[in-house]
Amino acid sequence: MKEDPTLLVAPHALREGFIYLLDGTMNGRLKQKFYTTPKMKNEWWGKASEGHTFNSEVVDLLRAQGWTVEEGIGIPKIINKPTPINFGDIDALAWREGSNDLLVIECKDLSFARNYSEAAALLSTFQGQTDEKGKRDKLRLHLDRVEFARENIVSFRDFTGRKQGEVTSCIVFSGIVPMQFAQIDALQGTLVGSVDEILESIGKS
């Protein structure tokens, strides 16, 4: 009978591997297929990869400039009835006295991208497309939410306590992205940029 083989473990590599796993799980950096259980693959990964910390930063910036904001709100709560399909939550719904804009905001945090290729991979989910299986990317989901909000503008006005107001589509990024300068058909009518850039655009309109 042979003795058990010697197992060598490098403490530093073990520590770095654990930190990488923990950080990737907490911040949604690891790919969805890495997880094996439905709860981790769908519920946890979805929430972690959405960048909720950045959402809160956007909300705080808007509130500091006098906007009333609802963060992570579902459309059924706004219209007080179920929706025909699942539109997902609005990252931020904002309105303010003296403004005719009801901002429907999608937030996208690119700060975790370690290089240009990772940033490009994150932005690839913002093409305004629906795949062959009928799955919509993040931009398409946002645009569908905006369209539904405009179709139900009376309910949105009632929820925000406004007698008038129109839905303004906004996408807030944590950094400069090419789509701010490119002519993309799907983004026609959508304000893209930082919070300050979007509010400046609203002020000029």
Side-chain angles (χ1 to χ4, degrees), residues 100-134:
N100 196 46
D101 295 280
L102 303 179
L103 308 183
V104 174
I105 303 172
E106 174 78 8
C107 303
K108 187 63 175 176
D109 187 5
L110 300 179
S111 63
F112 291 120
R114 293 170 294 183
N115 50 51
Y116 291 120
S117 62
E118 288 192 4
L122 289 170
L123 289 174
S124 68
T125 63
F126 274 77
Q127 301 299 311
Q129 298 176 350
T130 303
D131 65 20
E132 63 277 1
K133 295 181 180 180

Short mmCIF file of all heavy atoms in Angstrom, two decimals, residues 100-134:
data_model
loop_
_atom_site.label_atom_id
_atom_site.label_comp_id
_atom_site.label_asym_id
_atom_site.label_seq_id
_atom_site.Cartn_x
_atom_site.Cartn_y
_atom_site.Cartn_z
N ASN A 100 -40.75 69.52 -17.08
CA ASN A 100 -41.79 68.75 -17.74
C ASN A 100 -41.34 67.32 -18.03
O ASN A 100 -42.06 66.55 -18.66
CB ASN A 100 -42.19 69.44 -19.06
CG ASN A 100 -43.51 68.93 -19.60
OD1 ASN A 100 -44.49 68.80 -18.86
ND2 ASN A 100 -43.57 68.63 -20.89
N ASP A 101 -40.14 66.96 -17.55
CA ASP A 101 -39.57 65.65 -17.86
C ASP A 101 -39.79 64.65 -16.73
O ASP A 101 -39.53 64.94 -15.56
CB ASP A 101 -38.06 65.78 -18.10
CG ASP A 101 -37.74 66.61 -19.32
OD1 ASP A 101 -37.84 66.07 -20.44
OD2 ASP A 101 -37.41 67.80 -19.16
N LEU A 102 -40.28 63.48 -17.10
CA LEU A 102 -40.31 62.34 -16.20
C LEU A 102 -39.20 61.40 -16.68
O LEU A 102 -39.33 60.76 -17.72
CB LEU A 102 -41.67 61.63 -16.25
CG LEU A 102 -42.90 62.48 -15.93
CD1 LEU A 102 -44.17 61.65 -16.04
CD2 LEU A 102 -42.77 63.07 -14.53
N LEU A 103 -38.11 61.37 -15.95
CA LEU A 103 -36.92 60.66 -16.41
C LEU A 103 -37.03 59.17 -16.10
O LEU A 103 -37.15 58.77 -14.94
CB LEU A 103 -35.67 61.22 -15.74
CG LEU A 103 -35.46 62.73 -15.81
CD1 LEU A 103 -34.13 63.11 -15.15
CD2 LEU A 103 -35.51 63.22 -17.25
N VAL A 104 -36.99 58.35 -17.15
CA VAL A 104 -36.90 56.90 -17.00
C VAL A 104 -35.45 56.54 -17.29
O VAL A 104 -35.00 56.62 -18.43
CB VAL A 104 -37.87 56.16 -17.94
CG1 VAL A 104 -37.64 54.66 -17.87
CG2 VAL A 104 -39.31 56.50 -17.59
N ILE A 105 -34.72 56.16 -16.24
CA ILE A 105 -33.26 56.06 -16.33
C ILE A 105 -32.78 54.62 -16.20
O ILE A 105 -33.18 53.90 -15.28
CB ILE A 105 -32.60 56.91 -15.23
CG1 ILE A 105 -33.06 58.37 -15.35
CG2 ILE A 105 -31.08 56.82 -15.32
CD1 ILE A 105 -32.61 59.25 -14.19
N GLU A 106 -31.91 54.23 -17.10
CA GLU A 106 -31.17 52.97 -17.02
C GLU A 106 -29.74 53.31 -16.65
O GLU A 106 -29.12 54.20 -17.25
CB GLU A 106 -31.21 52.25 -18.37
CG GLU A 106 -30.36 51.00 -18.45
CD GLU A 106 -31.00 49.79 -17.78
OE1 GLU A 106 -32.18 49.88 -17.38
OE2 GLU A 106 -30.31 48.77 -17.65
N CYS A 107 -29.20 52.64 -15.63
CA CYS A 107 -27.84 52.90 -15.16
C CYS A 107 -26.91 51.75 -15.56
O CYS A 107 -27.27 50.58 -15.41
CB CYS A 107 -27.81 53.06 -13.64
SG CYS A 107 -28.88 54.38 -13.01
N LYS A 108 -25.73 52.10 -16.04
CA LYS A 108 -24.77 51.07 -16.44
C LYS A 108 -23.39 51.42 -15.89
O LYS A 108 -22.81 52.44 -16.24
CB LYS A 108 -24.71 50.97 -17.97
CG LYS A 108 -23.85 49.79 -18.46
CD LYS A 108 -24.43 48.46 -18.02
CE LYS A 108 -23.65 47.30 -18.61
NZ LYS A 108 -24.15 46.00 -18.13
N ASP A 109 -22.90 50.56 -15.02
CA ASP A 109 -21.60 50.78 -14.38
C ASP A 109 -20.51 50.04 -15.15
O ASP A 109 -20.52 48.82 -15.24
CB ASP A 109 -21.65 50.27 -12.94
CG ASP A 109 -20.41 50.63 -12.16
OD1 ASP A 109 -19.54 51.33 -12.70
OD2 ASP A 109 -20.31 50.19 -10.98
N LEU A 110 -19.55 50.78 -15.69
CA LEU A 110 -18.44 50.18 -16.43
C LEU A 110 -17.14 50.18 -15.62
O LEU A 110 -16.09 49.80 -16.13
CB LEU A 110 -18.20 50.95 -17.73
CG LEU A 110 -19.37 51.00 -18.72
CD1 LEU A 110 -18.98 51.82 -19.93
CD2 LEU A 110 -19.79 49.60 -19.13
N SER A 111 -17.22 50.57 -14.36
CA SER A 111 -15.99 50.75 -13.58
C SER A 111 -15.28 49.43 -13.30
O SER A 111 -14.08 49.42 -13.00
CB SER A 111 -16.30 51.45 -12.26
OG SER A 111 -17.18 50.67 -11.45
N PHE A 112 -16.00 48.31 -13.36
CA PHE A 112 -15.37 47.02 -13.08
C PHE A 112 -14.66 46.43 -14.29
O PHE A 112 -14.01 45.39 -14.18
CB PHE A 112 -16.41 46.03 -12.56
CG PHE A 112 -16.92 46.37 -11.19
CD1 PHE A 112 -18.26 46.61 -10.98
CD2 PHE A 112 -16.05 46.46 -10.12
CE1 PHE A 112 -18.72 46.93 -9.72
CE2 PHE A 112 -16.51 46.77 -8.85
CZ PHE A 112 -17.85 47.01 -8.64
N ALA A 113 -14.83 47.06 -15.45
CA ALA A 113 -14.13 46.56 -16.63
C ALA A 113 -12.64 46.83 -16.48
O ALA A 113 -12.21 47.95 -16.27
CB ALA A 113 -14.67 47.24 -17.88
N ARG A 114 -11.83 45.76 -16.60
CA ARG A 114 -10.39 45.91 -16.39
C ARG A 114 -9.64 46.33 -17.64
O ARG A 114 -8.49 46.75 -17.56
CB ARG A 114 -9.83 44.59 -15.86
CG ARG A 114 -10.32 44.23 -14.47
CD ARG A 114 -9.95 42.82 -14.09
NE ARG A 114 -10.64 41.84 -14.93
CZ ARG A 114 -10.53 40.53 -14.78
NH1 ARG A 114 -9.76 40.04 -13.83
NH2 ARG A 114 -11.18 39.70 -15.58
N ASN A 115 -10.28 46.22 -18.80
CA ASN A 115 -9.62 46.60 -20.05
C ASN A 115 -10.69 46.92 -21.09
O ASN A 115 -11.89 46.81 -20.83
CB ASN A 115 -8.69 45.48 -20.54
CG ASN A 115 -9.39 44.13 -20.57
OD1 ASN A 115 -10.48 44.01 -21.14
ND2 ASN A 115 -8.78 43.13 -19.96
N TYR A 116 -10.23 47.34 -22.28
CA TYR A 116 -11.16 47.75 -23.32
C TYR A 116 -12.05 46.60 -23.78
O TYR A 116 -13.23 46.80 -24.10
CB TYR A 116 -10.39 48.32 -24.52
CG TYR A 116 -9.73 49.65 -24.23
CD1 TYR A 116 -8.35 49.79 -24.34
CD2 TYR A 116 -10.49 50.75 -23.85
CE1 TYR A 116 -7.73 51.01 -24.05
CE2 TYR A 116 -9.88 51.97 -23.57
CZ TYR A 116 -8.51 52.09 -23.67
OH TYR A 116 -7.92 53.29 -23.40
N SER A 117 -11.50 45.39 -23.81
CA SER A 117 -12.30 44.26 -24.28
C SER A 117 -13.44 43.95 -23.31
O SER A 117 -14.55 43.60 -23.73
CB SER A 117 -11.42 43.03 -24.49
OG SER A 117 -10.83 42.62 -23.28
N GLU A 118 -13.18 44.07 -22.00
CA GLU A 118 -14.23 43.83 -21.02
C GLU A 118 -15.29 44.92 -21.11
O GLU A 118 -16.49 44.65 -20.97
CB GLU A 118 -13.65 43.76 -19.62
CG GLU A 118 -12.86 42.49 -19.36
CD GLU A 118 -12.52 42.30 -17.89
OE1 GLU A 118 -12.98 43.11 -17.07
OE2 GLU A 118 -11.82 41.33 -17.56
N ALA A 119 -14.88 46.17 -21.33
CA ALA A 119 -15.84 47.26 -21.49
C ALA A 119 -16.70 47.03 -22.73
O ALA A 119 -17.92 47.25 -22.72
CB ALA A 119 -15.12 48.60 -21.59
N ALA A 120 -16.06 46.56 -23.81
CA ALA A 120 -16.80 46.27 -25.04
C ALA A 120 -17.81 45.16 -24.82
O ALA A 120 -18.92 45.20 -25.35
CB ALA A 120 -15.83 45.90 -26.15
N ALA A 121 -17.42 44.16 -24.02
CA ALA A 121 -18.33 43.06 -23.74
C ALA A 121 -19.54 43.54 -22.96
O ALA A 121 -20.68 43.12 -23.22
CB ALA A 121 -17.60 41.97 -22.96
N LEU A 122 -19.33 44.46 -22.01
CA LEU A 122 -20.44 45.01 -21.25
C LEU A 122 -21.36 45.84 -22.16
O LEU A 122 -22.59 45.77 -22.06
CB LEU A 122 -19.92 45.88 -20.11
CG LEU A 122 -19.26 45.15 -18.95
CD1 LEU A 122 -18.58 46.13 -18.01
CD2 LEU A 122 -20.27 44.31 -18.18
N LEU A 123 -20.75 46.61 -23.05
CA LEU A 123 -21.54 47.46 -23.94
C LEU A 123 -22.27 46.65 -25.01
O LEU A 123 -23.25 47.12 -25.59
CB LEU A 123 -20.63 48.49 -24.62
CG LEU A 123 -20.09 49.59 -23.71
CD1 LEU A 123 -19.10 50.45 -24.46
CD2 LEU A 123 -21.21 50.44 -23.15
N SER A 124 -21.81 45.43 -25.25
CA SER A 124 -22.47 44.60 -26.26
C SER A 124 -23.90 44.24 -25.87
O SER A 124 -24.69 43.82 -26.70
CB SER A 124 -21.66 43.32 -26.50
OG SER A 124 -21.71 42.46 -25.36
N THR A 125 -24.22 44.40 -24.58
CA THR A 125 -25.59 44.14 -24.13
C THR A 125 -26.49 45.34 -24.35
O THR A 125 -27.66 45.30 -23.98
CB THR A 125 -25.60 43.75 -22.64
OG1 THR A 125 -25.12 44.86 -21.85
CG2 THR A 125 -24.72 42.55 -22.38
N PHE A 126 -25.95 46.41 -24.95
CA PHE A 126 -26.72 47.62 -25.21
C PHE A 126 -26.77 47.88 -26.72
O PHE A 126 -26.27 48.89 -27.21
CB PHE A 126 -26.10 48.82 -24.49
CG PHE A 126 -26.56 48.98 -23.08
CD1 PHE A 126 -26.05 48.17 -22.08
CD2 PHE A 126 -27.52 49.90 -22.72
CE1 PHE A 126 -26.46 48.29 -20.77
CE2 PHE A 126 -27.95 50.03 -21.42
CZ PHE A 126 -27.42 49.23 -20.44
N GLN A 127 -27.39 46.98 -27.45
CA GLN A 127 -27.50 47.14 -28.90
C GLN A 127 -28.94 47.33 -29.35
O GLN A 127 -29.20 47.55 -30.52
CB GLN A 127 -26.90 45.90 -29.59
CG GLN A 127 -25.44 45.65 -29.26
CD GLN A 127 -24.55 46.80 -29.68
OE1 GLN A 127 -24.62 47.28 -30.81
NE2 GLN A 127 -23.70 47.26 -28.76
N GLY A 128 -29.89 47.21 -28.43
CA GLY A 128 -31.30 47.37 -28.79
C GLY A 128 -31.84 46.22 -29.61
O GLY A 128 -32.70 46.41 -30.46
N GLN A 129 -31.35 45.01 -29.33
CA GLN A 129 -31.70 43.86 -30.16
C GLN A 129 -32.45 42.79 -29.37
O GLN A 129 -32.39 42.73 -28.14
CB GLN A 129 -30.43 43.25 -30.76
CG GLN A 129 -29.68 44.20 -31.68
CD GLN A 129 -28.38 43.60 -32.19
OE1 GLN A 129 -27.94 42.56 -31.73
NE2 GLN A 129 -27.78 44.26 -33.17
N THR A 130 -33.14 41.94 -30.12
CA THR A 130 -33.80 40.76 -29.58
C THR A 130 -33.25 39.55 -30.33
O THR A 130 -33.22 39.56 -31.56
CB THR A 130 -35.33 40.83 -29.77
OG1 THR A 130 -35.82 42.02 -29.15
CG2 THR A 130 -36.01 39.62 -29.16
N ASP A 131 -32.77 38.53 -29.59
CA ASP A 131 -32.16 37.40 -30.28
C ASP A 131 -33.21 36.44 -30.84
O ASP A 131 -34.42 36.67 -30.71
CB ASP A 131 -31.19 36.66 -29.35
CG ASP A 131 -31.87 36.00 -28.15
OD1 ASP A 131 -33.09 35.77 -28.19
OD2 ASP A 131 -31.16 35.71 -27.17
N GLU A 132 -32.73 35.37 -31.47
CA GLU A 132 -33.62 34.44 -32.14
C GLU A 132 -34.56 33.71 -31.18
O GLU A 132 -35.59 33.18 -31.59
CB GLU A 132 -32.80 33.41 -32.94
CG GLU A 132 -31.89 32.51 -32.12
CD GLU A 132 -30.57 33.18 -31.78
OE1 GLU A 132 -30.38 34.35 -32.18
OE2 GLU A 132 -29.73 32.52 -31.13
N LYS A 133 -34.19 33.70 -29.90
CA LYS A 133 -35.06 33.06 -28.90
C LYS A 133 -36.03 34.04 -28.25
O LYS A 133 -36.78 33.67 -27.35
CB LYS A 133 -34.19 32.40 -27.82
CG LYS A 133 -33.33 31.26 -28.34
CD LYS A 133 -32.53 30.63 -27.21
CE LYS A 133 -31.67 29.49 -27.72
NZ LYS A 133 -30.87 28.87 -26.62
N GLY A 134 -36.00 35.28 -28.72
CA GLY A 134 -36.90 36.29 -28.19
C GLY A 134 -36.39 37.00 -26.96
O GLY A 134 -37.13 37.78 -26.34
#
